[in-house]
Amino acid sequence: MKIAIPVDENKKDVCVSFGRTPYFLFWDTEAGKGIAEVNPAADAQGGAGLKSAQFVVDHQADVLITVRCGENAAEVLLAADIKIYKSQGTDAEDNIKLLQEGKLDILDHFHAGFHGKV
């Protein structure tokens, strides 16, 4: 399973912003390791959520763990059969463990988006 998590500059704390996160941590559960990739949508004029969602899809993630997510991004992710879970706390690796233990809740409330507002 491949897990995507938006992370801060330190590449280990879950970022509160999905679309404008500086990095995504892509964790491979079979390999037991992950790699942080620069989010090309972080500085986008608009549509950062959609572009970030497509980035996650392009990396063939099965699961996204995030604090929050906009409706448009969620549509893209869900259409690609990516399950979206609500993060707990700030440590990305702790969230991976919680997911594997079945202790994370599905994220089912999506905000309308910020549409250019940072």
Side-chain angles (χ1 to χ4, degrees), residues 5-118:
I5 306 175
V7 291
D8 287 329
E9 292 289 341
N10 66 12
K11 301 178 186 171
K12 64 181 196 171
D13 290 335
V14 179
C15 184
V16 296
S17 176
F18 169 73
R20 298 202 180 273
T21 185
Y23 296 92
F24 278 100
L25 175 64
F26 293 100
W27 189 271
D28 183 331
T29 59
E30 289 181 26
K33 61 182 180 177
I35 184 166
E37 298 275 344
V38 173
N39 178 14
D43 296 323
Q45 274 304 99
L50 281 172
K51 292 173 185 170
S52 292
Q54 189 59 55
F55 187 65
V56 170
V57 170
D58 291 346
H59 277 78
Q60 301 176 336
D62 302 296
V63 170
L64 169 70
I65 301 172
T66 187
V67 173
R68 63 181 180 218
C69 185
E71 292 171 344
N72 293 339
E75 284 181 25
V76 170
L77 295 163
L78 295 172
D81 292 324
I82 296 173
K83 293 181 179 163
I84 307 171
Y85 289 88
K86 173 88 172 126
S87 63
Q88 291 183 17
T90 59
D91 187 85
E93 289 192 34
D94 285 350
N95 275 279
I96 291 165
K97 289 175 190 165
L98 289 169
L99 175 73
Q100 292 174 320
E101 294 169 359
K103 295 180 179 176
L104 290 183
D105 294 327
I106 291 281
L107 182 63
D108 58 5
H109 176 74
F110 305 106
H111 64 79
F114 298 113
H115 306 286
K117 301 172 198 153
V118 179

